[in-house]
Amino acid sequence: MTDTPPGAGELVERTRRLLAEHPPATTGRTDFLRARFDAGLAWVHYPVGLGGLDAPRSLQAVVDAELAAAGAPDNDPRRIGIGLGMAAPTLLAYGSEEVKERFLKPLWVGEEVWCQLFSEPGAGSDLAALGTRAVRDGDAWVVDGQKVWTSSAHVARWAILIARTDPELPKHRGITYFVCDMTDPGVEVRPLRQITGEAEFNEVFLTGVRIPDAHRLGEAGDGWRVAQTTLMNERVSIGGARLPREGGMIGKAAATWRARPELRTHELHRRLLDLWVDAEVARLAGERLRQQLAAGRPGPEGSAMKLSFARLNQAISGLEVELLGDEGLLYGDWAMVRPDLVDFTGRDAGYRYLRSKGNSIEGGTSEVLLNIVAERVLGLPAEPRNDKDVAWKDLAR
């Protein structure tokens, strides 16, 4: 290994060497993924020793294409999306070397699932108002509070957590960011049943949970700045997911249109065409966003993509239900299911319509994202605030 980051040719050679030494046909899935991580081909833009080679992020596609052509297993990014899309970039930016070495490999391989302990009953859209407390006790922090809308908490081994450590400071300060062990006896996870009948979200109660100071990310009291890294990556992860043409909701609606000519009307045709164009524009904009991401950290443009994703999903799923008429109102199964992953396009049209309602809430509400676009993209004046210099403990709740 030289100090010069590898180019595309060298990455192809490395990938083929990995495939020769660990043939996918005869190597267990987990063993192959571990070997891929150790070869620096997991996420090539990460540092050497942490699954990468310090190569340009854009070259990941070179590796992925070689592995896909060889039938190599992937790490099921949908199941471990929170770990990959939100925890990993935050660990990389703010974790100690020990933290990075401990967590990144099992996270990427998928051996350890992560969840995100951010939202609270009284602090969702206004996340900085959170009230979960963390009090320093020797070389650890003791955490008490409640989180809500926590995806994957029922299957997670670890969580990224923000908690208030100094209530004397204004709400955006005095917050600290931690890695929380979800197997701690002080962690209780309860299912939160949704409009679809599923319970992919959870409430999480934290009672006397002890987190070692070594699992703190960033400085004590600087957790809001750390959380911004997570939140920006979260919006890109949700809104900028790579889709083929006619992937996602528009693919389902287009397939129904083609298969059921007896349901067509001129008005529905016009609306479907408009939404198809919107979906294609969003897909191509997502590609451009990922190219920007390859050049550095995500910017506020990810908020616009997440906003567009939510609006489109709701409009397209609504059109599909209208297209199907009475049939679209049928809903086959209200049984409570605890899914391991979010399936936005799964099951029937009724499910897609109901599930899409959550798209404008999860990962930052559309109202919050509109503010971000207005202030950070368009440069409009910020909304007046009367809590900027008020201690959190003195805020009305």
Side-chain angles (χ1 to χ4, degrees):
M1 180 68 191
T2 67
D3 292 335
T4 304
E10 185 177 341
L11 284 176
V12 169
E13 290 180 11
R14 281 175 171 268
T15 307
R16 292 177 178 173
R17 193 158 57 242
L18 169 71
L19 290 165
E21 294 171 353
H22 305 275
T26 57
T27 304
R29 177 178 177 276
T30 302
D31 289 340
F32 183 87
L33 293 173
R34 288 179 183 146
R36 178 178 169 182
F37 187 95
D38 293 338
L41 300 173
W43 31 40
V44 299
H45 57 293
Y46 271 44
V48 175
L50 297 175
L53 295 167
D54 284 319
R57 184 172 185 150
S58 58
L59 293 181
Q60 185 68 53
V62 174
V63 174
D64 292 345
E66 285 287 322
L67 293 173
D74 65 29
N75 58 347
D76 194 358
R78 286 202 309 160
R79 191 176 72 87
I80 56 175
I82 293 174
L84 286 175
M86 301 158 211
T90 312
L91 292 168
L92 183 66
Y94 292 99
S96 64
E97 292 306 310
E98 291 76 14
V99 162
K100 296 174 192 173
E101 291 176 6
R102 163 62 185 87
F103 292 117
L104 287 177
K105 184 174 180 178
L107 181 159
W108 187 87
V109 172
E111 296 171 298
E112 293 179 343
V113 176
W114 286 66
C115 66
Q116 183 180 10
L117 297 175
F118 277 25
S119 295
E120 300 185 3
S125 296
D126 187 11
L127 181 59
L130 64 89
T132 291
R133 290 293 314 277
V135 178
R136 186 73 183 252
D137 182 21
D139 61 355
W141 297 78
V142 180
V143 181
D144 291 277
Q146 179 188 353
K147 299 290 181 176
V148 73
W149 303 117
T150 310
S151 304
S152 302
H154 54 296
V155 293
R157 172 66 176 84
W158 297 98
I160 43 179
L161 161 76
I162 49 177
R164 188 160 304 282
T165 48
D166 191 345
E168 302 290 335
L169 294 175
K171 64 181 184 180
H172 288 87
R173 293 149 57 191
I175 293 173
T176 303
Y177 198 119
F178 301 97
V179 172
C180 175
D181 186 345
M182 292 295 288
T183 66
D184 191 293
V187 178
E188 181 186 0
V189 178
R190 300 178 188 172
L192 198 59
R193 199 172 185 192
Q194 303 150 223
I195 192 173
T196 59
E198 295 180 319
E200 71 193 51
F201 296 110
N202 302 274
E203 295 178 293
V204 179
F205 296 84
L206 306 158
T207 307
V209 177
R210 292 186 68 85
I211 298 178
D213 188 57
H215 286 183
R216 170 173 45 83
L217 302 185
E219 298 298 322
D222 197 30
W224 186 250
R225 186 166 67 95
V226 182
Q228 295 311 302
T229 296
T230 305
L231 294 173
M232 285 193 292
N233 280 284
E234 177 181 28
R235 286 151 194 167
V236 172
S237 180
I238 294 176
R242 176 168 277 122
L243 292 172
R245 177 174 286 186
E246 285 200 4
M249 290 283 192
I250 195 64
K252 296 291 185 181
T256 300
W257 177 267
R258 292 183 180 116
R260 303 289 299 275
E262 76 279 11
L263 302 174
R264 298 173 186 169
T265 68
H266 176 74
E267 172 62 13
L268 288 172
H269 188 211
R270 183 190 62 76
R271 289 168 59 193
L272 178 62
L273 286 177
D274 286 346
L275 289 172
W276 193 96
V277 171
D278 290 345
E280 188 62 5
V281 169
R283 186 181 72 84
L284 296 174
E287 288 292 334
R288 183 174 181 180
L289 180 66
R290 281 185 289 278
Q291 291 173 9
Q292 289 180 326
L293 187 61
R297 292 185 181 183
E301 293 82 0
S303 297
M305 283 304 304
K306 196 272 175 182
L307 187 63
S308 173
F309 161 81
R311 288 177 169 179
L312 264 174
N313 272 2
Q314 291 173 358
I316 295 169
S317 61
L319 178 68
E320 188 183 11
V321 167
E322 283 189 63
L323 174 63
L324 289 167
D326 293 345
E327 185 183 335
L329 300 177
L330 298 177
Y331 195 80
D333 185 6
W334 290 97
M336 188 174 95
V337 177
R338 300 278 276 155
D340 289 351
L341 52 85
V342 179
D343 188 2
F344 292 125
T345 58
R347 295 166 60 174
D348 51 28
Y351 172 83
R352 287 189 282 278
Y353 177 77
L354 294 176
R355 181 60 186 83
S356 71
K357 300 304 176 188
N359 294 161
S360 51
I361 301 173
E362 56 201 341
T365 65
S366 293
E367 290 75 13
V368 168
L369 300 182
L370 282 170
N371 269 354
I372 292 173
V373 171
E375 295 173 14
R376 302 184 195 173
V377 178
L378 301 177
L380 298 178
E383 280 194 306
R385 288 176 44 191
N386 58 10
D387 59 0
K388 188 174 181 180
D389 299 316
V390 180
W392 175 84
K393 66 179 181 59
D394 295 328
L395 294 176
R397 283 185 288 276

